[in-house]
Amino acid sequence: MAQMPFIQGHRGFRGLYPENTLPAFEHALEAGVQVLEMDVCISADGKVVVSHEPYMNSLYSSKPDGKPVEKEEEKIFNLYQMTYREIKKFDTGKRGNASFPEQIKMEAHKPLLSEVLSLGEAFRKKHQRIIYYNIEIKSVEAEYGISQPKTVEEFSEMVWKVIKKHVKPEFIILQSFDFQVLKYWNKAMNDGKIAPKVMLSALVSRKSPENTIKDLGFTPAIYSPNYQAVTQDFVEFSHKSGMKVVPWTANEANIISLLSDMGVDAVITDYPNRVPHYLKSVH
């Protein structure tokens, strides 16, 4: 990604559409977004499911009978213990999301990664536009074997199997907060197990770029911190080290403008519609 599109649609277009659903990704593309950001988990039958949590979020999920998922029920609906057929019966859009009052209420469900990639590739072919996919492997060490596969190798290989069937690797960004995941992908690429190489993005909250490189043991293609942690020094150090800077999740146009002035390479946002003049720009 020599010239990175500036705006990445967070979980598709969460500000206006149910997050991590086909309508959200479709509307993001129609709005001009060229990088779709999403999260993936694994179902009991080994399907790669697009979902931010490995369970049903009570903020917006409804059970097959239409009743809301209660907070105390969330972990009962562990995606890793449910088949995809069971997962698909839960609605994730009809109730909307109180945290995003502009979000349109509509019927939706957690899709498969294969469906999202197919949607993006069909759009790319129809409109002759380059589309990138920023895929986060939702992995937490304490959850190995509980709400996700026992090893990051198994998890990663399941995701890679889907990716390589649908998209050329050069259009893939693979991100994670779990550095064990990134270390595995880096080794797999160096060993030729994953080729050509995907871009690896280190997700952090406030960890400096210097410590990110130190803790990883290699320099990732992208340093991706919470936008509130971004400083001019962080941007300059990252660029000198060979990393692009992609903060998350900035939702106000003035904040995105400030980040642009600092020299970040792209921004992950829930509201790409608030910054239309950035959609086709490259930094």
Side-chain angles (χ1 to χ4, degrees), residues 54-58 61-79 82 90 95:
Y55 55 84
M56 293 295 172
N57 193 317
S58 60
S61 300
S62 300
K63 290 177 279 190
D65 63 5
K67 294 179 181 177
V69 171
E70 301 296 337
K71 183 68 178 176
E72 58 272 17
E73 293 180 306
E74 287 184 336
K75 299 300 174 69
I76 295 172
F77 301 116
N78 178 345
L79 304 191
M82 300 168 67
F90 284 70
R95 291 169 54 203

Side-chain angles (χ1 to χ4, degrees), residues 157-215:
E157 286 168 12
M158 294 170 86
V159 174
W160 172 237
K161 187 176 179 181
V162 175
I163 289 172
K164 68 181 181 180
K165 277 185 180 179
H166 293 86
V167 182
K168 291 181 179 179
E170 55 262 42
F171 298 107
I172 295 291
I173 301 164
L174 191 287
Q175 63 177 355
S176 189
F177 281 100
D178 186 347
F179 281 15
Q180 295 308 312
V181 169
L182 299 177
K183 288 176 182 179
Y184 169 77
W185 281 74
N186 183 60
K187 185 177 186 303
M189 291 194 296
N190 288 336
D191 292 345
K193 200 171 182 179
I194 296 173
K197 295 182 177 182
V198 304
M199 290 166 277
L200 295 183
S201 177
L203 283 169
V204 299
S205 292
R206 295 185 176 276
K207 190 190 296 282
S208 71
E210 185 175 10
N211 285 334
T212 296
I213 294 171
K214 182 180 177 181
D215 292 349

Side-chain angles (χ1 to χ4, degrees), residues 102-147:
E102 295 176 48
Q103 190 180 102
I104 297 168
K105 296 178 181 179
M106 60 171 63
E107 188 174 335
H109 63 269
K110 295 180 185 294
L112 295 173
L113 175 61
S114 58
E115 293 178 296
V116 177
L117 298 182
S118 293
L119 172 75
E121 289 303 281
F123 187 91
R124 175 184 64 79
K125 290 171 184 174
K126 180 178 180 180
H127 297 279
Q128 296 297 299
R129 269 181 38 207
I130 293 173
I131 304 297
Y132 295 91
Y133 307 89
N134 188 0
I135 301 169
E136 178 181 350
I137 290 185
K138 298 301 293 186
S139 177
V140 179
E141 191 171 353
E143 290 294 310
Y144 291 1
I146 299 171
S147 63

Side-chain angles (χ1 to χ4, degrees), residues 13 19 41 63 67 83 89 107 137 153 159-160 182 193 208 219 230 237 241 243 246 253 265 281:
F13 196 158
E19 67 175 68
C41 299
K63 290 177 279 190
K67 294 179 181 177
T83 65
K89 291 178 181 178
E107 188 174 335
I137 290 185
E153 291 85 354
V159 174
W160 172 237
L182 299 177
K193 200 171 182 179
S208 71
T219 303
V230 177
F237 180 91
S241 301
M243 296 186 294
V246 183
D265 299 279
S281 70

